[in-house]
Amino acid sequence: MRQIKEDAKKIIHSSIQRVLPDSAVKRALEGKTFLGKVIVIAIGKAAWNMANSAEEILGNRIEKGIVLTKYHHAQGDIKGFSILEASHPLPDENTILGTEKIIDAVSNLSSEDTVIFLVSGGGSALFEKPAGNLDLKDFLQITDELLKCGADIVEINTVRKHLSAVKGGKFAALCAPAQVYTIALSDILGDRPDSIASGPTCADRSTCEEAFAIVEKYGLTLSGEMKKQLSVETPKEVPNSTMLITGSVKELCFAAAAEAKALGYAPLILSTFVDCEAKEAGRFLASIGKTIQQEGFPLKGPCAIICGGETVVKITGPGKGGRNQELALSAAASIAGMEDIVIGAVGSDGTDGPTDAAGGLVDGQTKVILDGAGIAIDDVLAQNDSNRALAIANALVVTGPTGTNVNDLYFLLCK
Ligand SMILES: Nc1ncnc2c1ncn2[C@@H]1O[C@H](COP(=O)(O)OP(=O)(O)OP(=O)(O)O)[C@@H](O)[C@H]1O
Ligand SMILES: O=C(O)[C@H](O)CO
């Protein structure tokens, strides 16, 4: 059992290392020529790594650079860059201050100048200036409601784009007449460009009508000013902007499969679009493990079933946890007592919900340990308290900020 867990840890570590954005950003910039001034703006959880790679390629060509990332995600100074940090997943004053500095840096440019925009997931919370007369308080309220209601990220961002002065293509308009070249690391299933960090430089495909439908679907609270801003349509064309997507959950799954194979497990990538409730995904993955061990298909052990995605959680309790921890804990209930099986769920960014863990790694003993401690998994899930339970069962995965952000990896290893 110990070996299979060690193998699972290697798969987590190696797959995340292989999807760091560094070499992809370098490839995207190598050999490119820019006429006028070059301003580099990097936002999101992977902003520091992306900016650092841009600096290695462009060096003194960069007139000004700004990184705006999550607290504790910057890894030091980068020559020519201001390094700013702010709160995630809920914005704070530093979000708005940082965003204003970025707007200043791209104001008064000419049509010969270029803004290189390096964008990664987390950018929606980190890069924000409220539209119209909205303020930070309004954003805290609506973001909190959106994150707790069970809406998926495309829905969440449809609402945020209409309330923001920089999302949904509006940042590209602020850069005009300069050209904007966006290099994006995708944490959106299917890589819809205008949803990645709410598409600050993309023509927005979402509409006011869709935003109001989401408000109604989840019963969100709107002030008068929010209703007014939600009725203002986002740009449907951004002629000064081009975009390249350099990485996504697909690469994370391929990397996990390669490492599993190297460790002697026959890999099968089952889905890169898992978007159901976290606890349902956990039970489903466990059911595949049972099928393998009892029926011998779709693979015979040793094998690895690999999925990527972003599940949702409807927060109903006061506990502490995250999507991946909830998935892993739910899987633990279903594989209780089984041998030679582990199930892992991790966020590639290294943070799962408002916790210090990246996710969970469980086996047949996890529930046994929790039973022994008098902890019932169903109660924990009802309280959304997966972090505490997995800590007690020694089943947390802790990586710290990884420097990348391409959704979540779910896998099972079976012998
Ligand atoms: N107690 C909890 N249990 C389970 N999930 C939680 C809990 N508290 C918050 N969450 C979930 O955590 C998510 C936010 O945290 P996280 O940073 O992991 O999201 P993210 O998708 O990586 O963010 P981004 O897309 O902006 O990079 C929300 O979807 C929220 O539903
Ligand atoms: O920041 C965001 O909006 C999410 O991470 C999706 O990119």
PDB file of all heavy atoms in Angstrom, residues 25 28-29 32 34 41 43 50 114-120 171-172 175 179-185 193 196-197 199-203 238 240-246:
ATOM      1  N   VAL A  25       5.715  29.854 -22.649  1.00  0.00           N
ATOM      2  CA  VAL A  25       5.771  31.321 -22.812  1.00  0.00           C
ATOM      3  C   VAL A  25       6.998  31.691 -23.641  1.00  0.00           C
ATOM      4  O   VAL A  25       6.920  32.525 -24.552  1.00  0.00           O
ATOM      5  CB  VAL A  25       5.792  32.030 -21.433  1.00  0.00           C
ATOM      6  CG1 VAL A  25       6.122  33.507 -21.583  1.00  0.00           C
ATOM      7  CG2 VAL A  25       4.456  31.841 -20.725  1.00  0.00           C
ATOM      8  N   ALA A  28       6.407  31.049 -27.225  1.00  0.00           N
ATOM      9  CA  ALA A  28       5.445  31.996 -27.813  1.00  0.00           C
ATOM     10  C   ALA A  28       6.093  33.349 -28.127  1.00  0.00           C
ATOM     11  O   ALA A  28       5.596  34.093 -28.965  1.00  0.00           O
ATOM     12  CB  ALA A  28       4.268  32.182 -26.861  1.00  0.00           C
ATOM     13  N   LEU A  29       7.203  33.660 -27.450  1.00  0.00           N
ATOM     14  CA  LEU A  29       7.813  34.985 -27.639  1.00  0.00           C
ATOM     15  C   LEU A  29       9.078  34.952 -28.481  1.00  0.00           C
ATOM     16  O   LEU A  29       9.458  35.969 -29.080  1.00  0.00           O
ATOM     17  CB  LEU A  29       8.132  35.604 -26.274  1.00  0.00           C
ATOM     18  CG  LEU A  29       6.919  36.037 -25.452  1.00  0.00           C
ATOM     19  CD1 LEU A  29       7.337  36.454 -24.050  1.00  0.00           C
ATOM     20  CD2 LEU A  29       6.174  37.179 -26.140  1.00  0.00           C
ATOM     21  N   LYS A  32       9.912  36.780 -32.052  1.00  0.00           N
ATOM     22  CA  LYS A  32       8.917  37.823 -32.376  1.00  0.00           C
ATOM     23  C   LYS A  32       9.582  39.191 -32.346  1.00  0.00           C
ATOM     24  O   LYS A  32      10.450  39.438 -31.505  1.00  0.00           O
ATOM     25  CB  LYS A  32       7.796  37.814 -31.332  1.00  0.00           C
ATOM     26  CG  LYS A  32       6.741  36.787 -31.601  1.00  0.00           C
ATOM     27  CD  LYS A  32       5.388  37.270 -31.102  1.00  0.00           C
ATOM     28  CE  LYS A  32       4.283  36.359 -31.529  1.00  0.00           C
ATOM     29  NZ  LYS A  32       3.702  36.617 -32.803  1.00  0.00           N
ATOM     30  N   PHE A  34       8.916  43.390 -32.106  1.00  0.00           N
ATOM     31  CA  PHE A  34       7.924  44.400 -31.725  1.00  0.00           C
ATOM     32  C   PHE A  34       8.494  45.764 -32.102  1.00  0.00           C
ATOM     33  O   PHE A  34       9.671  46.039 -31.860  1.00  0.00           O
ATOM     34  CB  PHE A  34       7.649  44.321 -30.217  1.00  0.00           C
ATOM     35  CG  PHE A  34       7.150  42.969 -29.774  1.00  0.00           C
ATOM     36  CD1 PHE A  34       8.009  42.055 -29.156  1.00  0.00           C
ATOM     37  CD2 PHE A  34       5.833  42.596 -29.975  1.00  0.00           C
ATOM     38  CE1 PHE A  34       7.562  40.809 -28.752  1.00  0.00           C
ATOM     39  CE2 PHE A  34       5.377  41.345 -29.581  1.00  0.00           C
ATOM     40  CZ  PHE A  34       6.241  40.451 -28.964  1.00  0.00           C
ATOM     41  N   ILE A  41       2.263  42.746 -18.981  1.00  0.00           N
ATOM     42  CA  ILE A  41       1.350  42.671 -17.834  1.00  0.00           C
ATOM     43  C   ILE A  41       1.045  41.192 -17.602  1.00  0.00           C
ATOM     44  O   ILE A  41       0.603  40.494 -18.522  1.00  0.00           O
ATOM     45  CB  ILE A  41       0.018  43.416 -18.131  1.00  0.00           C
ATOM     46  CG1 ILE A  41       0.274  44.869 -18.546  1.00  0.00           C
ATOM     47  CG2 ILE A  41      -0.933  43.297 -16.940  1.00  0.00           C
ATOM     48  CD1 ILE A  41       0.899  45.746 -17.485  1.00  0.00           C
ATOM     49  N   ILE A  43      -1.117  38.568 -15.108  1.00  0.00           N
ATOM     50  CA  ILE A  43      -2.084  38.429 -14.009  1.00  0.00           C
ATOM     51  C   ILE A  43      -2.448  36.954 -13.817  1.00  0.00           C
ATOM     52  O   ILE A  43      -2.409  36.165 -14.755  1.00  0.00           O
ATOM     53  CB  ILE A  43      -3.380  39.243 -14.257  1.00  0.00           C
ATOM     54  CG1 ILE A  43      -4.157  38.693 -15.466  1.00  0.00           C
ATOM     55  CG2 ILE A  43      -3.094  40.718 -14.439  1.00  0.00           C
ATOM     56  CD1 ILE A  43      -5.638  38.957 -15.391  1.00  0.00           C
ATOM     57  N   MET A  50       5.147  33.164 -15.586  1.00  0.00           N
ATOM     58  CA  MET A  50       4.978  33.591 -16.980  1.00  0.00           C
ATOM     59  C   MET A  50       5.805  34.860 -17.241  1.00  0.00           C
ATOM     60  O   MET A  50       6.489  34.976 -18.264  1.00  0.00           O
ATOM     61  CB  MET A  50       3.494  33.818 -17.297  1.00  0.00           C
ATOM     62  CG  MET A  50       2.682  32.523 -17.261  1.00  0.00           C
ATOM     63  SD  MET A  50       0.917  32.752 -17.591  1.00  0.00           S
ATOM     64  CE  MET A  50       0.861  32.617 -19.385  1.00  0.00           C
ATOM     65  N   THR A 114       3.175  47.651 -27.988  1.00  0.00           N
ATOM     66  CA  THR A 114       2.535  46.354 -27.745  1.00  0.00           C
ATOM     67  C   THR A 114       2.403  46.104 -26.243  1.00  0.00           C
ATOM     68  O   THR A 114       3.350  46.306 -25.478  1.00  0.00           O
ATOM     69  CB  THR A 114       3.381  45.198 -28.338  1.00  0.00           C
ATOM     70  OG1 THR A 114       3.562  45.449 -29.722  1.00  0.00           O
ATOM     71  CG2 THR A 114       2.695  43.849 -28.157  1.00  0.00           C
ATOM     72  N   VAL A 115       1.216  45.636 -25.859  1.00  0.00           N
ATOM     73  CA  VAL A 115       1.026  45.135 -24.492  1.00  0.00           C
ATOM     74  C   VAL A 115       1.035  43.617 -24.589  1.00  0.00           C
ATOM     75  O   VAL A 115       0.200  43.028 -25.286  1.00  0.00           O
ATOM     76  CB  VAL A 115      -0.319  45.619 -23.900  1.00  0.00           C
ATOM     77  CG1 VAL A 115      -0.535  45.002 -22.519  1.00  0.00           C
ATOM     78  CG2 VAL A 115      -0.355  47.145 -23.829  1.00  0.00           C
ATOM     79  N   ILE A 116       2.003  42.992 -23.937  1.00  0.00           N
ATOM     80  CA  ILE A 116       2.005  41.527 -23.871  1.00  0.00           C
ATOM     81  C   ILE A 116       1.276  41.167 -22.579  1.00  0.00           C
ATOM     82  O   ILE A 116       1.695  41.558 -21.481  1.00  0.00           O
ATOM     83  CB  ILE A 116       3.443  40.972 -23.889  1.00  0.00           C
ATOM     84  CG1 ILE A 116       4.089  41.349 -25.226  1.00  0.00           C
ATOM     85  CG2 ILE A 116       3.434  39.456 -23.705  1.00  0.00           C
ATOM     86  CD1 ILE A 116       5.525  40.953 -25.356  1.00  0.00           C
ATOM     87  N   PHE A 117       0.154  40.470 -22.744  1.00  0.00           N
ATOM     88  CA  PHE A 117      -0.716  40.188 -21.593  1.00  0.00           C
ATOM     89  C   PHE A 117      -0.614  38.694 -21.295  1.00  0.00           C
ATOM     90  O   PHE A 117      -1.038  37.851 -22.088  1.00  0.00           O
ATOM     91  CB  PHE A 117      -2.149  40.586 -21.961  1.00  0.00           C
ATOM     92  CG  PHE A 117      -3.114  40.523 -20.807  1.00  0.00           C
ATOM     93  CD1 PHE A 117      -2.885  41.247 -19.645  1.00  0.00           C
ATOM     94  CD2 PHE A 117      -4.268  39.755 -20.896  1.00  0.00           C
ATOM     95  CE1 PHE A 117      -3.787  41.200 -18.580  1.00  0.00           C
ATOM     96  CE2 PHE A 117      -5.172  39.705 -19.841  1.00  0.00           C
ATOM     97  CZ  PHE A 117      -4.927  40.428 -18.687  1.00  0.00           C
ATOM     98  N   LEU A 118      -0.023  38.371 -20.152  1.00  0.00           N
ATOM     99  CA  LEU A 118       0.178  36.974 -19.752  1.00  0.00           C
ATOM    100  C   LEU A 118      -0.893  36.641 -18.729  1.00  0.00           C
ATOM    101  O   LEU A 118      -0.883  37.170 -17.614  1.00  0.00           O
ATOM    102  CB  LEU A 118       1.576  36.812 -19.143  1.00  0.00           C
ATOM    103  CG  LEU A 118       2.730  37.347 -20.013  1.00  0.00           C
ATOM    104  CD1 LEU A 118       4.040  37.345 -19.236  1.00  0.00           C
ATOM    105  CD2 LEU A 118       2.857  36.519 -21.289  1.00  0.00           C
ATOM    106  N   VAL A 119      -1.815  35.779 -19.120  1.00  0.00           N
ATOM    107  CA  VAL A 119      -2.984  35.594 -18.263  1.00  0.00           C
ATOM    108  C   VAL A 119      -3.143  34.138 -17.845  1.00  0.00           C
ATOM    109  O   VAL A 119      -2.944  33.224 -18.640  1.00  0.00           O
ATOM    110  CB  VAL A 119      -4.254  36.139 -18.967  1.00  0.00           C
ATOM    111  CG1 VAL A 119      -4.527  35.443 -20.281  1.00  0.00           C
ATOM    112  CG2 VAL A 119      -5.481  36.058 -18.078  1.00  0.00           C
ATOM    113  N   SER A 120      -3.481  33.971 -16.568  1.00  0.00           N
ATOM    114  CA  SER A 120      -3.737  32.618 -16.058  1.00  0.00           C
ATOM    115  C   SER A 120      -4.899  32.664 -15.082  1.00  0.00           C
ATOM    116  O   SER A 120      -5.326  33.734 -14.635  1.00  0.00           O
ATOM    117  CB  SER A 120      -2.476  32.068 -15.366  1.00  0.00           C
ATOM    118  OG  SER A 120      -2.038  32.973 -14.370  1.00  0.00           O
ATOM    119  N   PHE A 171     -10.351  45.461 -20.977  1.00  0.00           N
ATOM    120  CA  PHE A 171      -8.944  45.835 -20.773  1.00  0.00           C
ATOM    121  C   PHE A 171      -8.260  46.091 -22.128  1.00  0.00           C
ATOM    122  O   PHE A 171      -7.463  47.029 -22.252  1.00  0.00           O
ATOM    123  CB  PHE A 171      -8.194  44.758 -19.978  1.00  0.00           C
ATOM    124  CG  PHE A 171      -6.748  45.092 -19.761  1.00  0.00           C
ATOM    125  CD1 PHE A 171      -6.366  46.228 -19.065  1.00  0.00           C
ATOM    126  CD2 PHE A 171      -5.745  44.278 -20.290  1.00  0.00           C
ATOM    127  CE1 PHE A 171      -5.024  46.561 -18.884  1.00  0.00           C
ATOM    128  CE2 PHE A 171      -4.401  44.590 -20.109  1.00  0.00           C
ATOM    129  CZ  PHE A 171      -4.048  45.736 -19.408  1.00  0.00           C
ATOM    130  N   ALA A 172      -8.587  45.288 -23.146  1.00  0.00           N
ATOM    131  CA  ALA A 172      -7.989  45.518 -24.479  1.00  0.00           C
ATOM    132  C   ALA A 172      -8.373  46.904 -24.971  1.00  0.00           C
ATOM    133  O   ALA A 172      -7.546  47.619 -25.561  1.00  0.00           O
ATOM    134  CB  ALA A 172      -8.453  44.447 -25.460  1.00  0.00           C
ATOM    135  N   CYS A 175      -6.189  49.452 -23.540  1.00  0.00           N
ATOM    136  CA  CYS A 175      -4.821  49.449 -24.099  1.00  0.00           C
ATOM    137  C   CYS A 175      -4.770  50.161 -25.448  1.00  0.00           C
ATOM    138  O   CYS A 175      -3.691  50.575 -25.896  1.00  0.00           O
ATOM    139  CB  CYS A 175      -4.327  48.024 -24.314  1.00  0.00           C
ATOM    140  SG  CYS A 175      -4.137  47.066 -22.810  1.00  0.00           S
ATOM    141  N   GLN A 179      -1.327  47.553 -29.660  1.00  0.00           N
ATOM    142  CA  GLN A 179      -1.700  46.172 -29.964  1.00  0.00           C
ATOM    143  C   GLN A 179      -1.555  45.341 -28.692  1.00  0.00           C
ATOM    144  O   GLN A 179      -0.648  45.584 -27.889  1.00  0.00           O
ATOM    145  CB  GLN A 179      -0.765  45.590 -31.037  1.00  0.00           C
ATOM    146  CG  GLN A 179      -0.891  46.268 -32.383  1.00  0.00           C
ATOM    147  CD  GLN A 179      -2.308  46.152 -32.931  1.00  0.00           C
ATOM    148  OE1 GLN A 179      -2.877  45.058 -32.967  1.00  0.00           O
ATOM    149  NE2 GLN A 179      -2.883  47.283 -33.332  1.00  0.00           N
ATOM    150  N   VAL A 180      -2.432  44.361 -28.517  1.00  0.00           N
ATOM    151  CA  VAL A 180      -2.348  43.486 -27.346  1.00  0.00           C
ATOM    152  C   VAL A 180      -2.093  42.060 -27.825  1.00  0.00           C
ATOM    153  O   VAL A 180      -2.809  41.554 -28.695  1.00  0.00           O
ATOM    154  CB  VAL A 180      -3.666  43.506 -26.534  1.00  0.00           C
ATOM    155  CG1 VAL A 180      -3.539  42.624 -25.299  1.00  0.00           C
ATOM    156  CG2 VAL A 180      -4.024  44.927 -26.135  1.00  0.00           C
ATOM    157  N   TYR A 181      -1.037  41.449 -27.274  1.00  0.00           N
ATOM    158  CA  TYR A 181      -0.751  40.043 -27.598  1.00  0.00           C
ATOM    159  C   TYR A 181      -0.910  39.258 -26.295  1.00  0.00           C
ATOM    160  O   TYR A 181      -0.122  39.414 -25.363  1.00  0.00           O
ATOM    161  CB  TYR A 181       0.664  39.925 -28.168  1.00  0.00           C
ATOM    162  CG  TYR A 181       1.118  38.513 -28.463  1.00  0.00           C
ATOM    163  CD1 TYR A 181       0.267  37.596 -29.065  1.00  0.00           C
ATOM    164  CD2 TYR A 181       2.408  38.093 -28.143  1.00  0.00           C
ATOM    165  CE1 TYR A 181       0.684  36.297 -29.336  1.00  0.00           C
ATOM    166  CE2 TYR A 181       2.848  36.808 -28.419  1.00  0.00           C
ATOM    167  CZ  TYR A 181       1.965  35.918 -29.013  1.00  0.00           C
ATOM    168  OH  TYR A 181       2.396  34.633 -29.277  1.00  0.00           O
ATOM    169  N   THR A 182      -1.951  38.424 -26.251  1.00  0.00           N
ATOM    170  CA  THR A 182      -2.246  37.674 -25.025  1.00  0.00           C
ATOM    171  C   THR A 182      -1.702  36.259 -25.117  1.00  0.00           C
ATOM    172  O   THR A 182      -1.936  35.567 -26.109  1.00  0.00           O
ATOM    173  CB  THR A 182      -3.778  37.606 -24.806  1.00  0.00           C
ATOM    174  OG1 THR A 182      -4.276  38.936 -24.671  1.00  0.00           O
ATOM    175  CG2 THR A 182      -4.131  36.809 -23.564  1.00  0.00           C
ATOM    176  N   ILE A 183      -0.980  35.843 -24.075  1.00  0.00           N
ATOM    177  CA  ILE A 183      -0.560  34.443 -23.969  1.00  0.00           C
ATOM    178  C   ILE A 183      -1.288  33.897 -22.735  1.00  0.00           C
ATOM    179  O   ILE A 183      -1.133  34.415 -21.630  1.00  0.00           O
ATOM    180  CB  ILE A 183       0.965  34.324 -23.796  1.00  0.00           C
ATOM    181  CG1 ILE A 183       1.671  35.010 -24.975  1.00  0.00           C
ATOM    182  CG2 ILE A 183       1.385  32.861 -23.692  1.00  0.00           C
ATOM    183  CD1 ILE A 183       3.185  35.066 -24.849  1.00  0.00           C
ATOM    184  N   ALA A 184      -2.115  32.873 -22.968  1.00  0.00           N
ATOM    185  CA  ALA A 184      -3.009  32.410 -21.884  1.00  0.00           C
ATOM    186  C   ALA A 184      -2.723  30.974 -21.501  1.00  0.00           C
ATOM    187  O   ALA A 184      -2.497  30.115 -22.351  1.00  0.00           O
ATOM    188  CB  ALA A 184      -4.457  32.534 -22.345  1.00  0.00           C
ATOM    189  N   LEU A 185      -2.755  30.738 -20.202  1.00  0.00           N
ATOM    190  CA  LEU A 185      -2.713  29.384 -19.663  1.00  0.00           C
ATOM    191  C   LEU A 185      -4.154  29.097 -19.258  1.00  0.00           C
ATOM    192  O   LEU A 185      -4.725  29.828 -18.447  1.00  0.00           O
ATOM    193  CB  LEU A 185      -1.797  29.407 -18.431  1.00  0.00           C
ATOM    194  CG  LEU A 185      -1.339  28.099 -17.850  1.00  0.00           C
ATOM    195  CD1 LEU A 185      -0.532  27.305 -18.859  1.00  0.00           C
ATOM    196  CD2 LEU A 185      -0.481  28.368 -16.612  1.00  0.00           C
ATOM    197  N   PRO A 193     -11.828  31.042 -24.716  1.00  0.00           N
ATOM    198  CA  PRO A 193     -10.880  32.134 -24.402  1.00  0.00           C
ATOM    199  C   PRO A 193     -11.493  33.249 -23.559  1.00  0.00           C
ATOM    200  O   PRO A 193     -10.828  33.796 -22.682  1.00  0.00           O
ATOM    201  CB  PRO A 193     -10.466  32.676 -25.767  1.00  0.00           C
ATOM    202  CG  PRO A 193     -11.006  31.752 -26.780  1.00  0.00           C
ATOM    203  CD  PRO A 193     -12.030  30.866 -26.157  1.00  0.00           C
ATOM    204  N   ILE A 196     -11.348  32.576 -19.695  1.00  0.00           N
ATOM    205  CA  ILE A 196     -10.098  32.468 -18.934  1.00  0.00           C
ATOM    206  C   ILE A 196      -9.863  33.803 -18.224  1.00  0.00           C
ATOM    207  O   ILE A 196      -9.708  34.845 -18.878  1.00  0.00           O
ATOM    208  CB  ILE A 196      -8.902  32.132 -19.863  1.00  0.00           C
ATOM    209  CG1 ILE A 196      -9.161  30.826 -20.620  1.00  0.00           C
ATOM    210  CG2 ILE A 196      -7.600  32.059 -19.059  1.00  0.00           C
ATOM    211  CD1 ILE A 196      -8.142  30.529 -21.725  1.00  0.00           C
ATOM    212  N   ALA A 197      -9.876  33.771 -16.898  1.00  0.00           N
ATOM    213  CA  ALA A 197      -9.750  34.998 -16.083  1.00  0.00           C
ATOM    214  C   ALA A 197     -10.745  36.076 -16.530  1.00  0.00           C
ATOM    215  O   ALA A 197     -10.473  37.265 -16.438  1.00  0.00           O
ATOM    216  CB  ALA A 197      -8.319  35.524 -16.108  1.00  0.00           C
ATOM    217  N   GLY A 199     -11.592  36.821 -19.526  1.00  0.00           N
ATOM    218  CA  GLY A 199     -11.259  37.377 -20.840  1.00  0.00           C
ATOM    219  C   GLY A 199     -11.064  38.884 -20.914  1.00  0.00           C
ATOM    220  O   GLY A 199     -11.725  39.535 -21.725  1.00  0.00           O
ATOM    221  N   PRO A 200     -10.110  39.457 -20.163  1.00  0.00           N
ATOM    222  CA  PRO A 200      -9.925  40.919 -20.214  1.00  0.00           C
ATOM    223  C   PRO A 200      -9.577  41.454 -21.606  1.00  0.00           C
ATOM    224  O   PRO A 200      -9.855  42.612 -21.906  1.00  0.00           O
ATOM    225  CB  PRO A 200      -8.763  41.167 -19.245  1.00  0.00           C
ATOM    226  CG  PRO A 200      -8.745  39.984 -18.343  1.00  0.00           C
ATOM    227  CD  PRO A 200      -9.206  38.824 -19.177  1.00  0.00           C
ATOM    228  N   THR A 201      -8.988  40.589 -22.459  1.00  0.00           N
ATOM    229  CA  THR A 201      -8.569  41.077 -23.789  1.00  0.00           C
ATOM    230  C   THR A 201      -9.321  40.377 -24.924  1.00  0.00           C
ATOM    231  O   THR A 201      -8.898  40.437 -26.073  1.00  0.00           O
ATOM    232  CB  THR A 201      -7.046  40.851 -23.966  1.00  0.00           C
ATOM    233  OG1 THR A 201      -6.781  39.445 -23.776  1.00  0.00           O
ATOM    234  CG2 THR A 201      -6.236  41.652 -22.978  1.00  0.00           C
ATOM    235  N   CYS A 202     -10.424  39.704 -24.593  1.00  0.00           N
ATOM    236  CA  CYS A 202     -11.143  38.912 -25.607  1.00  0.00           C
ATOM    237  C   CYS A 202     -12.492  39.505 -25.949  1.00  0.00           C
ATOM    238  O   CYS A 202     -13.198  39.997 -25.060  1.00  0.00           O
ATOM    239  CB  CYS A 202     -11.446  37.523 -25.060  1.00  0.00           C
ATOM    240  SG  CYS A 202     -10.003  36.552 -24.831  1.00  0.00           S
ATOM    241  N   ALA A 203     -12.881  39.370 -27.219  1.00  0.00           N
ATOM    242  CA  ALA A 203     -14.261  39.678 -27.590  1.00  0.00           C
ATOM    243  C   ALA A 203     -15.157  38.789 -26.727  1.00  0.00           C
ATOM    244  O   ALA A 203     -14.936  37.583 -26.645  1.00  0.00           O
ATOM    245  CB  ALA A 203     -14.464  39.363 -29.060  1.00  0.00           C
ATOM    246  N   VAL A 238     -12.759  43.095 -30.479  1.00  0.00           N
ATOM    247  CA  VAL A 238     -11.580  43.810 -29.948  1.00  0.00           C
ATOM    248  C   VAL A 238     -10.481  43.738 -31.015  1.00  0.00           C
ATOM    249  O   VAL A 238      -9.636  42.859 -30.986  1.00  0.00           O
ATOM    250  CB  VAL A 238     -11.091  43.255 -28.584  1.00  0.00           C
ATOM    251  CG1 VAL A 238     -11.934  43.756 -27.453  1.00  0.00           C
ATOM    252  CG2 VAL A 238     -11.079  41.752 -28.559  1.00  0.00           C
ATOM    253  N   ASN A 240      -7.780  45.226 -31.679  1.00  0.00           N
ATOM    254  CA  ASN A 240      -6.341  45.397 -31.394  1.00  0.00           C
ATOM    255  C   ASN A 240      -5.758  44.201 -30.644  1.00  0.00           C
ATOM    256  O   ASN A 240      -4.668  44.295 -30.085  1.00  0.00           O
ATOM    257  CB  ASN A 240      -6.109  46.685 -30.583  1.00  0.00           C
ATOM    258  CG  ASN A 240      -6.830  46.682 -29.242  1.00  0.00           C
ATOM    259  OD1 ASN A 240      -7.894  46.086 -29.108  1.00  0.00           O
ATOM    260  ND2 ASN A 240      -6.268  47.335 -28.248  1.00  0.00           N
ATOM    261  N   SER A 241      -6.485  43.066 -30.625  1.00  0.00           N
ATOM    262  CA  SER A 241      -6.061  41.980 -29.731  1.00  0.00           C
ATOM    263  C   SER A 241      -5.895  40.638 -30.440  1.00  0.00           C
ATOM    264  O   SER A 241      -6.746  40.230 -31.232  1.00  0.00           O
ATOM    265  CB  SER A 241      -7.129  41.874 -28.636  1.00  0.00           C
ATOM    266  OG  SER A 241      -6.864  40.823 -27.783  1.00  0.00           O
ATOM    267  N   THR A 242      -4.781  39.936 -30.164  1.00  0.00           N
ATOM    268  CA  THR A 242      -4.627  38.545 -30.629  1.00  0.00           C
ATOM    269  C   THR A 242      -4.266  37.674 -29.428  1.00  0.00           C
ATOM    270  O   THR A 242      -3.740  38.173 -28.428  1.00  0.00           O
ATOM    271  CB  THR A 242      -3.496  38.399 -31.679  1.00  0.00           C
ATOM    272  OG1 THR A 242      -2.336  39.042 -31.154  1.00  0.00           O
ATOM    273  CG2 THR A 242      -3.865  38.992 -33.009  1.00  0.00           C
ATOM    274  N   MET A 243      -4.544  36.379 -29.545  1.00  0.00           N
ATOM    275  CA  MET A 243      -4.380  35.526 -28.356  1.00  0.00           C
ATOM    276  C   MET A 243      -3.850  34.142 -28.724  1.00  0.00           C
ATOM    277  O   MET A 243      -4.210  33.587 -29.748  1.00  0.00           O
ATOM    278  CB  MET A 243      -5.757  35.365 -27.710  1.00  0.00           C
ATOM    279  CG  MET A 243      -5.761  34.529 -26.453  1.00  0.00           C
ATOM    280  SD  MET A 243      -7.352  34.751 -25.653  1.00  0.00           S
ATOM    281  CE  MET A 243      -7.107  33.882 -24.144  1.00  0.00           C
ATOM    282  N   LEU A 244      -3.022  33.613 -27.829  1.00  0.00           N
ATOM    283  CA  LEU A 244      -2.496  32.256 -27.996  1.00  0.00           C
ATOM    284  C   LEU A 244      -2.699  31.511 -26.677  1.00  0.00           C
ATOM    285  O   LEU A 244      -2.326  32.028 -25.618  1.00  0.00           O
ATOM    286  CB  LEU A 244      -0.994  32.353 -28.315  1.00  0.00           C
ATOM    287  CG  LEU A 244      -0.254  31.048 -28.458  1.00  0.00           C
ATOM    288  CD1 LEU A 244      -0.584  30.412 -29.807  1.00  0.00           C
ATOM    289  CD2 LEU A 244       1.255  31.283 -28.367  1.00  0.00           C
ATOM    290  N   ILE A 245      -3.281  30.328 -26.761  1.00  0.00           N
ATOM    291  CA  ILE A 245      -3.452  29.526 -25.530  1.00  0.00           C
ATOM    292  C   ILE A 245      -2.335  28.493 -25.485  1.00  0.00           C
ATOM    293  O   ILE A 245      -2.140  27.742 -26.445  1.00  0.00           O
ATOM    294  CB  ILE A 245      -4.842  28.859 -25.502  1.00  0.00           C
ATOM    295  CG1 ILE A 245      -5.919  29.950 -25.460  1.00  0.00           C
ATOM    296  CG2 ILE A 245      -4.986  27.923 -24.299  1.00  0.00           C
ATOM    297  CD1 ILE A 245      -7.341  29.458 -25.458  1.00  0.00           C
ATOM    298  N   THR A 246      -1.588  28.469 -24.374  1.00  0.00           N
ATOM    299  CA  THR A 246      -0.367  27.646 -24.360  1.00  0.00           C
ATOM    300  C   THR A 246      -0.443  26.390 -23.499  1.00  0.00           C
ATOM    301  O   THR A 246       0.497  25.606 -23.505  1.00  0.00           O
ATOM    302  CB  THR A 246       0.831  28.453 -23.827  1.00  0.00           C
ATOM    303  OG1 THR A 246       0.486  28.883 -22.525  1.00  0.00           O
ATOM    304  CG2 THR A 246       1.166  29.623 -24.689  1.00  0.00           C
TER     305      THR A 246
END
